[in-house]
Amino acid sequence: MTDLEERTIGFLKYARKEPGHRPIAERIRDWKAVELPFTDDDLHIQAVRCMDCGIPFCHAYGCPLGNVIPEMNELVFRRRWEEGLNLLLSTNCFPEFTGRVCPAPCEPSCVLGINSEPVTIRQMELAIIERGFERGYMEPCPPERRLGRRVAVIGSGPAGLAVAERLNRAGVDVVVYENAPRAGGILRYGIPDFKLEKWVVDRRLKLMEEEGVIFEMNVEVGKDISHRYLKTRFDAIVLTGGAREPRDLNVPGRDLQGIHLAMPYLVQQNMLNGGEFVAPSARITAKDRVVVVIGGGDTGADCVGTAIRQGARRVIQVEILPKPPTSRSPRTPWPLWPDTLRESSSHKEGGERLWSVMTKEFLGDGGRVRALRCVEVEWHTAANGDARRPHEKSGTEFTIEADLVLLAMGFAGSGQNVLVEQLGIERDERGLIRRDSNQMTSNPGTFVAGDMAQGASLVVKAIADGQLCARGVLNYLLAAKTEAGANSQVQI
């Protein structure tokens, strides 16, 4: 069969194959990545399943970055790795991150997914960038000339790194300020190593430094350096501090010992894995404990996997929402992101999941949590069409034993930020930073990207927003240069 014939009927001939995982008994004893890469033959077969459809919803609707997916799949099929890399990097500056932690919203919008299993797009992306590093295509590429403009990026998470990478490539001098000991933000401290090993982050940071980006660690902007310092030494400032205001559960017993927010718990374990000091007295450990994780999202799943690796005696994940269906429901038709049951690698390692359960009270003994008082709920839509709300089911109260509770219920906003207050930057009714079409805040020359402006979301959306913000910053810098009579022929 010729390549053309195979490309024409590949989606009929081959079934979708999921990436493999290391054996459970092996992986729960370490912090290494659980997912195994595809072989070259697997990649070739999975790439040929792409239909090369006339309207690629995966590209135009599903991918926040606008990755050119059908052409990318074609280049993987033909093993033209360098061309594929150049195409991918034109829309996504960090495929090694999205290829590992993105939930791939492009895949549910794949046309093949209407009546079959969609293409394994995320694996194509990861294969391309890893071949790029392996074959030496990812060499430092500093800009040929500098614009003579300086930008301070506050925060080194996915949005901040995306802003810095794109601006630096355009010839802007960029300094990234981070209040943690190491750069990476949530990529380093929030996402467990078994999903994203930190050598992947370090590899990219090294490349960015070699291309001219400067990283200043252990600096709390607004305290260690003032807003006046930034305004006098930089032509623009970009805020990328993320969503820092966690949702709490204010029910009786919340002040008992043994109840913790999820993010400090995950951060602490990542610090220990990275060799950073955490005082023994401050360490949160699940070893030999009964752990209850409240919240059914990705952060909750990360807590499940972390607790299992720490040696928890039992892990229960509680979610107030009803259990999703196993197949796409009419409420989320193609090409929307489907409301379906998802099982992460952590869920396959053990633990229990409870749905439609509300926590009413934490019960304690000697000042420490020992159980949760819970009730089953039903969800009803109001007669006026308002959003569904939970209603307790009479006679369904029960208790769950617990001596460690982790609250993983998401984030409500960007939280308090000294620099935002000093600059008098406006927020919206949700507490998020207001911005215009160029992503500039109410303070001229100060921009915002990522979760501080759009709310807690996916890494892929933070990267996309960072890249968009970089364009807004560059427009601002070039407009100022043009007013001063300088040439503004620069692209990003």
Side-chain angles (χ1 to χ4, degrees):
M1 183 180 293
T2 66
D3 280 357
L4 178 59
E5 290 172 326
E6 193 168 28
R7 285 288 288 121
T8 303
I9 66 168
F11 67 96
L12 297 173
K13 183 178 178 182
Y14 301 110
R16 176 184 170 100
K17 180 178 180 180
E18 297 292 342
H21 295 85
R22 292 193 295 130
I24 292 174
E26 171 190 307
R27 72 192 195 225
I28 63 173
R29 289 176 169 80
D30 61 41
W31 298 93
K32 297 178 182 178
V34 303
E35 191 172 278
L36 298 172
F38 275 153
T39 66
D40 276 356
D41 287 342
D42 287 334
L43 288 167
H44 186 78
I45 290 172
Q46 292 302 303
V48 81
R49 295 187 71 241
C50 180
M51 300 169 67
D52 195 20
C53 51
I55 302 178
F57 282 80
C58 58
H59 152 73
Y61 181 85
C63 180
L65 289 158
N67 287 340
V68 190
I69 293 167
E71 289 82 354
M72 180 183 79
N73 291 337
E74 173 74 16
L75 292 169
V76 171
F77 169 71
R78 300 192 181 281
R79 296 183 173 91
R80 289 157 59 176
W81 298 110
E82 189 168 11
E83 291 176 65
L85 178 66
N86 291 334
L87 179 66
L88 181 55
L89 291 176
S90 70
T91 56
N92 180 2
C93 52
F94 304 130
E96 67 270 39
F97 302 152
T98 54
R100 286 177 168 85
V101 302
C102 182
C106 52
E107 293 185 12
S109 62
C110 171
V111 172
L112 182 56
I114 295 175
N115 59 1
S116 182
E117 291 296 311
V119 176
T120 50
I121 299 168
R122 180 176 65 84
Q123 293 301 315
M124 305 298 117
E125 179 178 328
L126 182 57
I128 288 173
I129 185 63
E130 289 307 316
R131 294 304 187 284
F133 278 107
E134 290 167 9
R135 299 184 178 206
Y137 304 146
M138 293 296 295
E139 292 295 319
C141 186
E144 294 181 0
R145 66 186 183 92
R146 293 286 178 178
L147 299 179
R149 291 291 182 267
R150 302 183 76 224
V151 172
V153 177
I154 317 302
S156 66
L161 293 180
V163 172
E165 199 274 348
R166 287 302 198 230
L167 286 177
N168 182 66
R169 289 291 181 99
V172 177
D173 292 299
V174 180
V175 179
V176 179
Y177 290 100
E178 170 60 59
N179 61 8
R182 298 179 183 176
I186 195 170
L187 298 170
R188 180 178 300 281
Y189 292 107
I191 299 174
D193 286 16
F194 55 80
K195 289 173 65 176
L196 178 65
E197 292 186 70
K198 302 317 172 218
W199 64 263
V200 178
V201 180
D202 290 332
R203 180 179 64 180
R204 174 57 71 166
L205 294 172
K206 181 175 182 293
L207 184 63
M208 292 178 67
E209 287 181 320
E210 290 171 345
E211 292 177 339
V213 177
I214 297 173
F215 291 91
E216 296 285 351
M217 300 296 101
N218 290 308
V219 176
E220 189 167 353
V221 175
K223 292 183 179 180
D224 296 326
I225 57 175
S226 69
H227 65 285
R228 296 183 183 86
Y229 174 92
L230 295 175
K231 283 289 187 178
T232 57
R233 286 166 175 78
F234 294 92
D235 300 289
I237 303 168
V238 185
L239 308 176
T240 65
R244 298 295 183 97
E245 190 67 32
R247 290 192 177 92
D248 210 330
L249 186 59
N250 295 314
V251 299
R254 172 63 182 87
D255 58 345
L256 291 169
Q257 294 179 25
I259 303 172
H260 303 273
L261 295 169
M263 195 51 66
Y265 171 69
L266 296 174
V267 167
Q268 190 178 96
Q269 184 59 59
N270 280 335
M271 290 176 66
L272 291 169
N273 290 349
E276 296 184 42
F277 177 74
V278 178
S281 60
R283 294 180 185 178
I284 308 167
T285 180
K287 184 174 176 57
D288 299 326
R289 297 188 182 279
V290 176
V291 181
V292 174
V293 179
I294 301 179
D298 289 340
T299 302
D302 292 345
C303 288
V304 170
T306 299
I308 289 172
R309 283 163 178 75
Q310 289 180 343
R313 181 156 50 94
R314 183 186 178 197
V315 182
I316 307 104
Q317 187 175 17
V318 175
E319 172 58 67
I320 193 172
L321 293 171
K323 185 177 182 178
T326 55
S327 58
R328 189 188 286 270
S329 73
R331 293 194 298 111
T332 53
W334 180 90
L336 298 179
W337 177 256
D339 177 23
T340 56
L341 179 65
R342 292 176 176 82
E343 187 178 54
S344 75
S345 62
S346 295
H347 294 132
K348 296 175 183 177
E349 294 164 357
E352 308 158 50
R353 301 176 80 179
L354 302 180
W355 304 90
S356 298
V357 170
M358 177 190 291
T359 302
K360 298 194 69 175
E361 183 181 4
F362 296 114
L363 306 175
D365 184 9
R368 185 172 184 86
V369 66
R370 63 171 177 83
L372 287 71
R373 186 166 66 87
C374 303
V375 64
E376 295 180 15
V377 297
E378 294 178 317
W379 288 78
H380 302 292
T381 303
N384 61 3
D386 285 348
R388 295 188 302 164
R389 294 185 179 278
H391 296 268
E392 297 182 21
K393 294 172 65 175
S394 177
T396 64
E397 283 200 8
F398 64 99
T399 60
I400 304 175
E401 177 191 359
D403 45 20
L404 176 62
V405 178
L406 302 171
L407 306 180
M409 300 178 296
F411 296 84
S414 59
Q416 294 298 312
N417 184 289
V418 175
L419 187 61
V420 169
E421 309 310 324
Q422 289 177 346
L423 294 175
I425 293 172
E426 296 178 5
R427 299 175 183 260
D428 64 15
E429 59 280 357
R430 296 169 57 198
L432 302 174
I433 306 300
R434 293 186 187 276
R435 58 184 181 180
D436 62 18
S437 58
N438 263 339
Q439 296 186 264
M440 187 160 67
T441 69
S442 58
N443 183 279
T446 303
F447 297 76
V448 64
D451 293 358
M452 289 186 79
Q454 61 183 3
S457 190
L458 305 173
V459 167
V460 65
K461 290 187 176 180
I463 293 172
D465 202 56
Q467 292 182 168
L468 184 62
C469 182
R471 295 190 189 101
V473 174
L474 193 62
N475 288 338
Y476 170 80
L477 296 176
L478 295 181
K481 236 186 169 186
T482 301
E483 289 177 6
N487 187 347
S488 62
Q489 298 303 308
V490 177
Q491 295 182 345
I492 189 170

